[in-house]
């Protein structure tokens, strides 16, 4: 008989996350990775990185979607800590918060070292192989 699938995280602890409560580091990392998994959210982050803080409408102008849909993406980014929001009159201004990306970089760093080592090994192997001359 095959093993049973893993239960969702909240089910294993028996406690649902409390909105606004501090999250365990793994939960925060999971939220960051989940936020980055979507191309629209990555594009929002790129826009904020390159063009600085912007109101929702300025961000929405870059996308072929309704503003409520973009607001859902911004909510995911806010909950992951990747953007912050401040009100200025009737506008909501969004700003990139890059600190959570350090956790992603820390997680990716060993893989980067792994692949650099593999490329170096491949280069050494290719250097040892005889060149094929013209026939």
């Amino acid at each position: 008989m095959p093993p049973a699938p893993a239960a969702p995280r909240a089910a294993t602890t028996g406690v649902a996350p409390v909105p606004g409560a501090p999250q365990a580091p793994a939960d925060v990392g999971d939220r960051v990775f989940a936020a980055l998994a979507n191309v629209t959210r990555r594009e929002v982050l790129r826009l904020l990185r390159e063009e600085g803080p912007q109101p929702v409408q300025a961000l929405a102008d870059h996308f072929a979607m309704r503003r409520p849909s973009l607001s859902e993406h911004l909510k995911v980014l806010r909950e992951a800590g990747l953007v912050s929001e401040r009100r200025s009159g009737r506008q909501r201004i969004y700003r990139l918060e890059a600190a959570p990306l350090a956790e992603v970089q820390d997680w990716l760093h060993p893989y980067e070292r792994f692949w650099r080592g593999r490329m170096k090994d491949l280069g050494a192997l290719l250097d040892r192989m005889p060149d094929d001359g013209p026939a």
Side-chain angles (χ1 to χ4, degrees):
M1 175 179 240
R9 186 178 308 238
T12 59
T13 63
V15 177
V18 176
Q23 300 294 314
D27 293 338
V28 172
D30 290 348
R31 286 180 188 220
V32 170
F33 278 103
L36 294 174
N38 181 276
V39 66
T40 299
R41 293 191 287 264
R42 291 192 307 268
E43 179 64 9
V44 167
L45 294 176
R46 184 193 68 76
L47 290 167
L48 293 173
R49 183 191 74 227
E50 291 180 0
E51 300 175 15
Q54 298 180 47
V56 176
Q57 190 56 54
L59 291 169
D61 290 344
H62 292 278
F63 299 97
M65 68 175 62
R66 299 184 142 231
R67 201 164 142 183
S69 297
L70 180 62
S71 292
E72 284 298 315
H73 287 293
L74 290 168
K75 178 182 175 186
V76 171
L77 291 169
R78 255 191 346 266
E79 290 174 351
L82 292 167
V83 299
S84 60
E85 170 191 78
R86 75 172 167 80
R87 290 183 186 246
S88 177
R90 294 178 60 192
Q91 291 186 326
R92 293 174 185 228
I93 310 295
Y94 282 85
R95 173 190 182 104
L96 175 66
E97 299 295 340
L101 295 172
E103 183 175 341
V104 173
Q105 184 177 11
D106 291 345
W107 186 84
L108 288 172
H109 186 70
Y111 295 97
E112 181 182 354
R113 279 195 324 250
F114 168 80
W115 282 112
R116 282 187 186 181
R118 297 295 294 239
M119 292 294 119
K120 183 178 175 184
D121 293 346
L122 176 61
L125 174 66
L126 292 173
D127 287 343
R128 290 192 307 266
M129 293 178 68
D131 290 336
D132 290 339

